[in-house]
Amino acid sequence: MDTKEIAELIELMAKGNLSELEVEREGFRIRLRKEPPPAAAHPHIVYPSHAALVPPEKLKELAAPAAETIREIRSPMVGVFYRSPSPDSAPYVEVGQEVNENTVVCIIEAMKVMNEIKAEMRGIITEVLAENGKPVDFDRPLFRVRPLP
């Protein structure tokens, strides 16, 4: 079994919302188990500074909506979380910014490869949950998003 097949198994777990998967084939056995992500002790809050951001009076409304209306952008891999393409660049997204399916929200560095992570949903960023330059686990929440129709 090669790394591509293992990555496919991880993707299958994520799409099927599985917490454990075990495969045995030709004398090779792999067992994957997803632990619940740790709760963020101190969420990273960043104040908006872009023209395309939601007005400040709307932020209060967005910050505390009913729990069922908030979705999360989760890490598709283990690696180091970066909010911007370089240390001296502005973050890809800010709290209050509207995103769509193709909006790059961050980079996760894994094995010296910089992987752009897209929002994959339409909505407004309400919270940044990961700390810039710190490791993240597979399926860890990175951002909270209020979906838009």
Side-chain angles (χ1 to χ4, degrees):
M1 184 170 277
D2 63 16
T3 56
K4 183 179 177 189
E5 291 173 307
I6 293 171
E8 288 172 358
L9 291 175
I10 292 170
E11 186 176 335
L12 175 68
M13 282 184 68
K15 285 184 180 176
N17 200 20
L18 302 173
S19 60
E20 192 168 328
L21 178 67
E22 188 170 339
V23 176
E24 188 169 345
R25 184 173 59 190
E26 301 169 3
F28 181 82
R29 182 174 146 191
I30 186 168
R31 180 176 174 208
L32 303 170
R33 183 172 35 172
K34 179 172 47 171
E35 298 292 331
H42 300 287
H44 217 77
I45 299 175
V46 179
Y47 295 96
S49 61
H50 293 211
L53 299 178
V54 175
E57 59 274 6
K58 289 276 191 181
L59 282 178
K60 188 179 237 182
E61 178 184 318
L62 295 172
E68 64 273 359
T69 63
I70 293 295
R71 294 183 56 200
E72 294 175 333
I73 299 172
R74 295 180 165 268
S75 176
M77 64 189 67
V78 174
V80 178
F81 172 85
Y82 294 106
R83 293 199 58 210
S84 60
S86 67
D88 55 341
S89 297
Y92 284 107
V93 294
E94 298 281 4
V95 171
Q97 184 175 340
E98 186 174 330
V99 296
N100 64 42
E101 296 82 0
N102 295 315
T103 303
V104 174
V105 294
C106 66
I107 289 176
I108 296 183
E109 178 186 4
M111 298 176 64
K112 305 289 182 195
V113 176
M114 300 297 185
N115 301 281
E116 289 185 340
I117 307 304
K118 295 184 179 179
E120 297 183 357
M121 67 178 86
R122 188 166 177 264
I124 296 173
I125 301 290
T126 61
E127 198 171 357
V128 179
L129 302 172
E131 191 174 341
N132 192 50
K134 298 293 182 182
V136 293
D137 293 323
F138 170 73
D139 204 35
R140 173 169 177 208
L142 304 174
F143 298 90
R144 288 205 174 112
V145 179
R146 181 169 188 191
L148 291 175

